[in-house]
Amino acid sequence: MLSGMKPMKSGSEQSEQAAARLNQIATRLLRLARSPARNAGLSSAQYSAMGVIFQRPGISLVELAEHEAVRHPTMSRLVRALIQSELVRKSANEGDRRANHLELTAAGRKKYLLASERRIALFRLVLSRLSPGAREEVLSVAESMAELVAPHSEES
């Protein structure tokens, strides 16, 4: 090997380094994304659940737990807290009294939309610092990655 030249990395080493770097970036992005919800008085899990209920009013607790990939008791506790905070309302299914439908209250919609607007504003600021080409590339790669990790999930 010539002096001063670094050996080429194998494909698996490059993949490992890329995965480690992506982990660092994802951690920073998640931290950034959590702050608007936290500032609105919501945990990340509450914000996420409210987002699903916002998009799918009338969703059942079972469906919500499945969508969020958590166990039913976990989602039950989370929804109970949202109901106690008067952010979510639960109504019984007339055909099956054991099934409940969830929807955001007016206060819940307002809080969710405020957190969403703040979150979008943060990402808008970050994206505005990129060139138009880089911005399109970031969005394209992010969409491709989302399709790979959740090929059958609905858009959230």
PDB file of all heavy atoms in Angstrom, residues 4 7 9 12 20 25 57 59 62 70 72-73 76 82 89 94 105 108 116 119-120 122 131 139 148-150 153 156:
ATOM      1  N   GLY A   4       0.260   6.936   3.111  1.00  0.00           N
ATOM      2  CA  GLY A   4      -0.774   7.962   3.207  1.00  0.00           C
ATOM      3  C   GLY A   4      -2.125   7.560   2.638  1.00  0.00           C
ATOM      4  O   GLY A   4      -3.090   8.290   2.783  1.00  0.00           O
ATOM      5  N   PRO A   7      -6.913   2.125   3.310  1.00  0.00           N
ATOM      6  CA  PRO A   7      -7.477   0.969   2.607  1.00  0.00           C
ATOM      7  C   PRO A   7      -8.961   1.204   2.335  1.00  0.00           C
ATOM      8  O   PRO A   7      -9.647   1.869   3.114  1.00  0.00           O
ATOM      9  CB  PRO A   7      -7.271  -0.188   3.589  1.00  0.00           C
ATOM     10  CG  PRO A   7      -7.106   0.453   4.919  1.00  0.00           C
ATOM     11  CD  PRO A   7      -6.529   1.827   4.667  1.00  0.00           C
ATOM     12  N   LYS A   9     -12.818   0.456   2.252  1.00  0.00           N
ATOM     13  CA  LYS A   9     -13.667  -0.266   3.188  1.00  0.00           C
ATOM     14  C   LYS A   9     -14.554  -1.228   2.416  1.00  0.00           C
ATOM     15  O   LYS A   9     -14.995  -0.948   1.310  1.00  0.00           O
ATOM     16  CB  LYS A   9     -14.516   0.710   3.976  1.00  0.00           C
ATOM     17  CG  LYS A   9     -13.658   1.585   4.858  1.00  0.00           C
ATOM     18  CD  LYS A   9     -14.476   2.458   5.746  1.00  0.00           C
ATOM     19  CE  LYS A   9     -13.493   3.165   6.651  1.00  0.00           C
ATOM     20  NZ  LYS A   9     -13.757   4.440   6.999  1.00  0.00           N
ATOM     21  N   SER A  12     -19.723  -4.199   3.774  1.00  0.00           N
ATOM     22  CA  SER A  12     -20.340  -4.353   5.098  1.00  0.00           C
ATOM     23  C   SER A  12     -19.828  -3.291   6.075  1.00  0.00           C
ATOM     24  O   SER A  12     -20.587  -2.820   6.916  1.00  0.00           O
ATOM     25  CB  SER A  12     -20.119  -5.756   5.659  1.00  0.00           C
ATOM     26  OG  SER A  12     -18.769  -5.976   5.951  1.00  0.00           O
ATOM     27  N   ALA A  20     -24.658   3.463  11.574  1.00  0.00           N
ATOM     28  CA  ALA A  20     -24.314   4.197  12.796  1.00  0.00           C
ATOM     29  C   ALA A  20     -24.569   5.688  12.607  1.00  0.00           C
ATOM     30  O   ALA A  20     -25.114   6.356  13.502  1.00  0.00           O
ATOM     31  CB  ALA A  20     -22.850   3.943  13.166  1.00  0.00           C
ATOM     32  N   ILE A  25     -28.182  10.626  13.292  1.00  0.00           N
ATOM     33  CA  ILE A  25     -29.039  11.643  12.664  1.00  0.00           C
ATOM     34  C   ILE A  25     -30.484  11.464  13.107  1.00  0.00           C
ATOM     35  O   ILE A  25     -31.167  12.437  13.454  1.00  0.00           O
ATOM     36  CB  ILE A  25     -28.913  11.578  11.127  1.00  0.00           C
ATOM     37  CG1 ILE A  25     -27.498  11.981  10.692  1.00  0.00           C
ATOM     38  CG2 ILE A  25     -29.959  12.453  10.454  1.00  0.00           C
ATOM     39  CD1 ILE A  25     -27.167  11.630   9.255  1.00  0.00           C
ATOM     40  N   PRO A  57     -60.825   9.524  12.618  1.00  0.00           N
ATOM     41  CA  PRO A  57     -61.797   9.656  13.701  1.00  0.00           C
ATOM     42  C   PRO A  57     -62.715   8.435  13.734  1.00  0.00           C
ATOM     43  O   PRO A  57     -63.121   7.934  12.691  1.00  0.00           O
ATOM     44  CB  PRO A  57     -62.581  10.925  13.359  1.00  0.00           C
ATOM     45  CG  PRO A  57     -62.090  11.402  12.050  1.00  0.00           C
ATOM     46  CD  PRO A  57     -60.937  10.575  11.625  1.00  0.00           C
ATOM     47  N   ILE A  59     -61.697   5.579  15.096  1.00  0.00           N
ATOM     48  CA  ILE A  59     -60.849   4.389  15.187  1.00  0.00           C
ATOM     49  C   ILE A  59     -61.083   3.712  16.538  1.00  0.00           C
ATOM     50  O   ILE A  59     -61.334   4.383  17.548  1.00  0.00           O
ATOM     51  CB  ILE A  59     -59.356   4.754  14.983  1.00  0.00           C
ATOM     52  CG1 ILE A  59     -58.494   3.497  14.841  1.00  0.00           C
ATOM     53  CG2 ILE A  59     -58.849   5.659  16.109  1.00  0.00           C
ATOM     54  CD1 ILE A  59     -57.056   3.794  14.412  1.00  0.00           C
ATOM     55  N   VAL A  62     -58.422  -0.975  19.770  1.00  0.00           N
ATOM     56  CA  VAL A  62     -57.650  -2.112  19.249  1.00  0.00           C
ATOM     57  C   VAL A  62     -56.910  -1.705  17.979  1.00  0.00           C
ATOM     58  O   VAL A  62     -55.717  -1.977  17.827  1.00  0.00           O
ATOM     59  CB  VAL A  62     -58.575  -3.324  18.992  1.00  0.00           C
ATOM     60  CG1 VAL A  62     -57.841  -4.428  18.240  1.00  0.00           C
ATOM     61  CG2 VAL A  62     -59.133  -3.853  20.304  1.00  0.00           C
ATOM     62  N   VAL A  70     -48.226  -1.112  19.632  1.00  0.00           N
ATOM     63  CA  VAL A  70     -48.084  -1.281  21.078  1.00  0.00           C
ATOM     64  C   VAL A  70     -49.159  -2.256  21.558  1.00  0.00           C
ATOM     65  O   VAL A  70     -50.153  -2.491  20.866  1.00  0.00           O
ATOM     66  CB  VAL A  70     -48.195   0.057  21.863  1.00  0.00           C
ATOM     67  CG1 VAL A  70     -47.088   1.009  21.468  1.00  0.00           C
ATOM     68  CG2 VAL A  70     -49.551   0.688  21.692  1.00  0.00           C
ATOM     69  N   HIS A  72     -52.299  -3.663  23.730  1.00  0.00           N
ATOM     70  CA  HIS A  72     -53.593  -3.066  24.086  1.00  0.00           C
ATOM     71  C   HIS A  72     -53.566  -2.383  25.458  1.00  0.00           C
ATOM     72  O   HIS A  72     -54.033  -1.245  25.590  1.00  0.00           O
ATOM     73  CB  HIS A  72     -54.698  -4.133  24.009  1.00  0.00           C
ATOM     74  CG  HIS A  72     -56.058  -3.584  24.206  1.00  0.00           C
ATOM     75  ND1 HIS A  72     -56.614  -3.452  25.454  1.00  0.00           N
ATOM     76  CD2 HIS A  72     -56.974  -3.115  23.327  1.00  0.00           C
ATOM     77  CE1 HIS A  72     -57.819  -2.929  25.332  1.00  0.00           C
ATOM     78  NE2 HIS A  72     -58.058  -2.718  24.047  1.00  0.00           N
ATOM     79  N   PRO A  73     -53.016  -3.033  26.520  1.00  0.00           N
ATOM     80  CA  PRO A  73     -53.002  -2.364  27.838  1.00  0.00           C
ATOM     81  C   PRO A  73     -52.218  -1.047  27.831  1.00  0.00           C
ATOM     82  O   PRO A  73     -52.604  -0.081  28.497  1.00  0.00           O
ATOM     83  CB  PRO A  73     -52.333  -3.387  28.765  1.00  0.00           C
ATOM     84  CG  PRO A  73     -52.523  -4.702  28.083  1.00  0.00           C
ATOM     85  CD  PRO A  73     -52.510  -4.405  26.606  1.00  0.00           C
ATOM     86  N   SER A  76     -54.408   1.451  26.154  1.00  0.00           N
ATOM     87  CA  SER A  76     -55.527   1.745  27.060  1.00  0.00           C
ATOM     88  C   SER A  76     -55.140   2.820  28.070  1.00  0.00           C
ATOM     89  O   SER A  76     -55.901   3.756  28.309  1.00  0.00           O
ATOM     90  CB  SER A  76     -55.927   0.484  27.818  1.00  0.00           C
ATOM     91  OG  SER A  76     -57.102  -0.029  27.337  1.00  0.00           O
ATOM     92  N   LEU A  82     -55.543  10.586  28.002  1.00  0.00           N
ATOM     93  CA  LEU A  82     -56.030  11.600  27.060  1.00  0.00           C
ATOM     94  C   LEU A  82     -57.505  11.920  27.312  1.00  0.00           C
ATOM     95  O   LEU A  82     -57.927  13.070  27.173  1.00  0.00           O
ATOM     96  CB  LEU A  82     -55.826  11.128  25.612  1.00  0.00           C
ATOM     97  CG  LEU A  82     -54.372  11.058  25.140  1.00  0.00           C
ATOM     98  CD1 LEU A  82     -54.272  10.357  23.792  1.00  0.00           C
ATOM     99  CD2 LEU A  82     -53.752  12.448  25.080  1.00  0.00           C
ATOM    100  N   ARG A  89     -62.302  11.742  23.193  1.00  0.00           N
ATOM    101  CA  ARG A  89     -63.611  11.273  23.649  1.00  0.00           C
ATOM    102  C   ARG A  89     -63.783   9.852  23.139  1.00  0.00           C
ATOM    103  O   ARG A  89     -63.372   9.520  22.034  1.00  0.00           O
ATOM    104  CB  ARG A  89     -64.680  12.221  23.139  1.00  0.00           C
ATOM    105  CG  ARG A  89     -65.980  11.689  22.789  1.00  0.00           C
ATOM    106  CD  ARG A  89     -67.060  12.705  22.404  1.00  0.00           C
ATOM    107  NE  ARG A  89     -66.952  13.750  21.485  1.00  0.00           N
ATOM    108  CZ  ARG A  89     -66.373  14.972  21.495  1.00  0.00           C
ATOM    109  NH1 ARG A  89     -65.785  15.391  22.301  1.00  0.00           N
ATOM    110  NH2 ARG A  89     -66.355  15.853  20.639  1.00  0.00           N
ATOM    111  N   GLU A  94     -72.526   0.930  18.751  1.00  0.00           N
ATOM    112  CA  GLU A  94     -73.877   0.439  18.969  1.00  0.00           C
ATOM    113  C   GLU A  94     -74.004  -1.045  18.658  1.00  0.00           C
ATOM    114  O   GLU A  94     -74.801  -1.741  19.277  1.00  0.00           O
ATOM    115  CB  GLU A  94     -74.873   1.271  18.166  1.00  0.00           C
ATOM    116  CG  GLU A  94     -74.931   2.698  18.675  1.00  0.00           C
ATOM    117  CD  GLU A  94     -76.058   3.502  18.056  1.00  0.00           C
ATOM    118  OE1 GLU A  94     -77.016   2.896  17.553  1.00  0.00           O
ATOM    119  OE2 GLU A  94     -75.952   4.728  18.095  1.00  0.00           O
ATOM    120  N   THR A 105     -61.436  15.680  20.998  1.00  0.00           N
ATOM    121  CA  THR A 105     -62.354  16.734  21.392  1.00  0.00           C
ATOM    122  C   THR A 105     -61.895  18.018  20.713  1.00  0.00           C
ATOM    123  O   THR A 105     -60.824  18.057  20.091  1.00  0.00           O
ATOM    124  CB  THR A 105     -62.328  16.932  22.922  1.00  0.00           C
ATOM    125  OG1 THR A 105     -61.001  17.356  23.287  1.00  0.00           O
ATOM    126  CG2 THR A 105     -62.690  15.655  23.672  1.00  0.00           C
ATOM    127  N   GLY A 108     -58.653  18.791  22.115  1.00  0.00           N
ATOM    128  CA  GLY A 108     -57.651  17.856  21.602  1.00  0.00           C
ATOM    129  C   GLY A 108     -57.207  18.227  20.199  1.00  0.00           C
ATOM    130  O   GLY A 108     -56.017  18.201  19.887  1.00  0.00           O
ATOM    131  N   SER A 116     -48.558  20.136  15.863  1.00  0.00           N
ATOM    132  CA  SER A 116     -48.218  19.803  14.470  1.00  0.00           C
ATOM    133  C   SER A 116     -47.665  21.015  13.733  1.00  0.00           C
ATOM    134  O   SER A 116     -46.674  20.907  13.006  1.00  0.00           O
ATOM    135  CB  SER A 116     -49.451  19.292  13.727  1.00  0.00           C
ATOM    136  OG  SER A 116     -49.807  18.031  14.205  1.00  0.00           O
ATOM    137  N   ARG A 119     -44.204  21.658  14.881  1.00  0.00           N
ATOM    138  CA  ARG A 119     -43.295  20.625  14.381  1.00  0.00           C
ATOM    139  C   ARG A 119     -42.981  20.880  12.909  1.00  0.00           C
ATOM    140  O   ARG A 119     -41.827  20.802  12.485  1.00  0.00           O
ATOM    141  CB  ARG A 119     -43.968  19.269  14.569  1.00  0.00           C
ATOM    142  CG  ARG A 119     -43.093  18.105  14.337  1.00  0.00           C
ATOM    143  CD  ARG A 119     -43.869  16.845  14.661  1.00  0.00           C
ATOM    144  NE  ARG A 119     -42.975  15.724  14.727  1.00  0.00           N
ATOM    145  CZ  ARG A 119     -43.293  14.545  15.212  1.00  0.00           C
ATOM    146  NH1 ARG A 119     -44.491  14.344  15.702  1.00  0.00           N
ATOM    147  NH2 ARG A 119     -42.431  13.580  15.223  1.00  0.00           N
ATOM    148  N   ILE A 120     -43.994  21.172  12.119  1.00  0.00           N
ATOM    149  CA  ILE A 120     -43.793  21.457  10.701  1.00  0.00           C
ATOM    150  C   ILE A 120     -42.917  22.699  10.528  1.00  0.00           C
ATOM    151  O   ILE A 120     -42.037  22.732   9.658  1.00  0.00           O
ATOM    152  CB  ILE A 120     -45.151  21.608   9.982  1.00  0.00           C
ATOM    153  CG1 ILE A 120     -45.825  20.239   9.898  1.00  0.00           C
ATOM    154  CG2 ILE A 120     -44.980  22.223   8.589  1.00  0.00           C
ATOM    155  CD1 ILE A 120     -47.285  20.280   9.488  1.00  0.00           C
ATOM    156  N   LEU A 122     -40.550  23.715  12.503  1.00  0.00           N
ATOM    157  CA  LEU A 122     -39.158  23.331  12.765  1.00  0.00           C
ATOM    158  C   LEU A 122     -38.548  22.629  11.554  1.00  0.00           C
ATOM    159  O   LEU A 122     -37.427  22.935  11.145  1.00  0.00           O
ATOM    160  CB  LEU A 122     -39.085  22.407  13.978  1.00  0.00           C
ATOM    161  CG  LEU A 122     -39.140  23.077  15.333  1.00  0.00           C
ATOM    162  CD1 LEU A 122     -39.243  22.026  16.434  1.00  0.00           C
ATOM    163  CD2 LEU A 122     -37.908  23.943  15.560  1.00  0.00           C
ATOM    164  N   SER A 131     -30.314  23.470  -0.241  1.00  0.00           N
ATOM    165  CA  SER A 131     -30.607  23.899  -1.613  1.00  0.00           C
ATOM    166  C   SER A 131     -31.866  23.155  -2.067  1.00  0.00           C
ATOM    167  O   SER A 131     -32.182  22.088  -1.541  1.00  0.00           O
ATOM    168  CB  SER A 131     -29.442  23.558  -2.537  1.00  0.00           C
ATOM    169  OG  SER A 131     -29.374  22.153  -2.719  1.00  0.00           O
ATOM    170  N   LEU A 139     -36.084  14.460   0.786  1.00  0.00           N
ATOM    171  CA  LEU A 139     -37.466  13.981   0.827  1.00  0.00           C
ATOM    172  C   LEU A 139     -37.626  12.667   0.066  1.00  0.00           C
ATOM    173  O   LEU A 139     -38.342  11.765   0.510  1.00  0.00           O
ATOM    174  CB  LEU A 139     -38.413  15.051   0.279  1.00  0.00           C
ATOM    175  CG  LEU A 139     -38.503  16.314   1.138  1.00  0.00           C
ATOM    176  CD1 LEU A 139     -39.357  17.374   0.447  1.00  0.00           C
ATOM    177  CD2 LEU A 139     -39.038  16.001   2.516  1.00  0.00           C
ATOM    178  N   LEU A 148     -39.677   1.264   2.855  1.00  0.00           N
ATOM    179  CA  LEU A 148     -38.948   0.029   3.193  1.00  0.00           C
ATOM    180  C   LEU A 148     -39.270  -0.467   4.594  1.00  0.00           C
ATOM    181  O   LEU A 148     -39.357  -1.674   4.806  1.00  0.00           O
ATOM    182  CB  LEU A 148     -37.438   0.261   3.087  1.00  0.00           C
ATOM    183  CG  LEU A 148     -36.883   0.405   1.681  1.00  0.00           C
ATOM    184  CD1 LEU A 148     -35.426   0.839   1.735  1.00  0.00           C
ATOM    185  CD2 LEU A 148     -37.036  -0.906   0.913  1.00  0.00           C
ATOM    186  N   VAL A 149     -39.450   0.446   5.547  1.00  0.00           N
ATOM    187  CA  VAL A 149     -39.683   0.004   6.926  1.00  0.00           C
ATOM    188  C   VAL A 149     -41.148  -0.267   7.224  1.00  0.00           C
ATOM    189  O   VAL A 149     -41.452  -0.972   8.169  1.00  0.00           O
ATOM    190  CB  VAL A 149     -39.122   1.010   7.962  1.00  0.00           C
ATOM    191  CG1 VAL A 149     -37.616   1.112   7.856  1.00  0.00           C
ATOM    192  CG2 VAL A 149     -39.772   2.362   7.858  1.00  0.00           C
ATOM    193  N   ALA A 150     -42.044   0.247   6.431  1.00  0.00           N
ATOM    194  CA  ALA A 150     -43.461   0.014   6.673  1.00  0.00           C
ATOM    195  C   ALA A 150     -44.199  -0.088   5.337  1.00  0.00           C
ATOM    196  O   ALA A 150     -45.020   0.758   5.015  1.00  0.00           O
ATOM    197  CB  ALA A 150     -44.040   1.144   7.516  1.00  0.00           C
ATOM    198  N   SER A 153     -48.095  -0.143   5.772  1.00  0.00           N
ATOM    199  CA  SER A 153     -48.792   0.751   6.695  1.00  0.00           C
ATOM    200  C   SER A 153     -49.417   1.907   5.923  1.00  0.00           C
ATOM    201  O   SER A 153     -48.978   2.261   4.839  1.00  0.00           O
ATOM    202  CB  SER A 153     -47.837   1.297   7.752  1.00  0.00           C
ATOM    203  OG  SER A 153     -46.954   2.221   7.178  1.00  0.00           O
ATOM    204  N   SER A 156     -49.029   8.097   7.799  1.00  0.00           N
ATOM    205  CA  SER A 156     -49.425   8.709   9.052  1.00  0.00           C
ATOM    206  C   SER A 156     -49.046  10.138   9.135  1.00  0.00           C
ATOM    207  O   SER A 156     -48.319  10.668   8.432  1.00  0.00           O
ATOM    208  CB  SER A 156     -48.815   8.025  10.234  1.00  0.00           C
ATOM    209  OG  SER A 156     -48.062   6.927  10.033  1.00  0.00           O
TER     210      SER A 156
END
